[in-house]
Amino acid sequence: MYGSATGMQDYVFKYGKDERKDNKKMSEKELIAITIDRYTDLQQIKKANGGHENQMLDYFIKVTIAKLLSLGVNVEDITL
């Protein structure tokens, strides 16, 4: 997991997924939900890519899988 709440907030800011109205720290549940959303988005992009090789997309998927595993999420259940 991220080393601090700032790391989580940086992740949310970078990917534009923060829909909270206040400045509360993100809960682990929120982080998991956002990361799952990112993973499913990346899978849909890969599927729509029509089998074309995209090393950057594959890298983002691997990193997102690693993040989900570190949060205790079984990615086998959510893989296309």
Side-chain angles (χ1 to χ4, degrees):
M1 193 159 84
Y2 300 99
S4 68
T6 303
M8 288 187 286
Q9 291 167 349
D10 289 345
Y11 174 81
V12 170
F13 178 76
K14 181 176 180 181
Y15 300 108
K17 301 267 185 169
D18 192 357
E19 297 173 3
R20 295 172 293 143
K21 304 268 190 247
D22 52 29
N23 287 331
K24 290 182 184 177
K25 291 182 182 178
M26 182 184 306
S27 71
E28 187 171 334
K29 241 181 169 178
E30 290 173 308
L31 178 61
I32 289 170
I34 288 169
T35 310
I36 288 172
D37 288 345
R38 176 169 170 75
Y39 180 59
T40 56
D41 291 346
L42 291 169
Q43 287 185 88
Q44 290 173 358
I45 292 167
K46 185 172 178 82
K47 187 175 182 179
N49 207 20
H52 297 283
E53 184 177 340
N54 185 329
Q55 291 178 350
M56 186 59 71
L57 178 59
D58 291 340
Y59 172 76
F60 284 144
I61 290 171
K62 285 180 185 180
V63 169
T64 305
I65 289 170
K67 288 177 184 180
L68 286 169
L69 291 174
S70 74
L71 292 166
V73 176
N74 181 359
V75 295
E76 291 178 12
D77 294 340
I78 57 173
T79 300
L80 287 176

